[in-house]
Amino acid sequence: MPADPHSAQWHHEVLAQFPERKYDLPLESAERIVEYRPIEYAAKLDGTPSLFIVVDDDEIAPVDQLKALYDLVPGPKRLYVVRDTTHHGIYEGAPLAESTGQAVAWFNEHL
């Protein structure tokens, strides 16, 4: 079960609607998640257009950590902060429309 209250609620709602999404995370996968350090790969994105869409006050992926990663990525790049939502709230309603609009504009420019 996710540790923060927003994720726990989202997880509960998703499983109520889609019980087939229930899964167990093998220990090996959990270990790999803990060991994963995206900051080690940032410089390798040299020349690759990179769009970071982040949630302000995200309890799972803190925006300050994502900004530190963003700062290490060579351009072209863009950081877009979605406000007044949660880590999972970005996937519905107005936050989804906002972030999708940003992504579409980015892809239109860089693909």
Side-chain angles (χ1 to χ4, degrees):
M1 180 61 76
D4 73 279
H6 297 286
S7 293
Q9 179 183 347
W10 176 85
H11 182 76
H12 177 73
E13 290 171 2
V14 167
L15 288 181
Q17 188 173 2
F18 305 102
E20 67 276 8
R21 287 196 60 184
K22 184 173 180 2
Y23 64 92
D24 293 315
L25 185 64
L27 182 57
E28 182 178 292
S29 294
E31 289 171 349
R32 295 287 185 258
I33 291 169
V34 170
E35 293 170 357
Y36 182 61
R37 303 280 184 261
I39 208 158
E40 296 173 5
Y41 302 96
K44 294 180 180 181
L45 294 173
D46 190 26
T48 303
S50 302
L51 172 63
F52 286 65
I53 298 177
V54 301
V55 172
D56 195 30
D57 297 325
D58 192 318
E59 295 175 336
I60 296 175
V63 73
D64 60 328
Q65 291 179 15
L66 296 170
K67 285 180 179 178
L69 178 62
Y70 173 84
D71 289 342
L72 294 174
V73 172
K77 62 184 178 180
R78 178 157 187 240
L79 175 69
Y80 186 82
V81 181
V82 180
R83 302 188 187 288
D84 302 320
T85 192
T86 63
H87 182 83
H88 296 291
I90 195 171
Y91 299 109
E92 60 188 7
L96 176 62
E98 179 182 349
S99 59
T100 300
Q102 293 297 317
V104 168
W106 179 261
F107 292 142
N108 284 338
E109 182 179 346
H110 294 282
L111 289 182

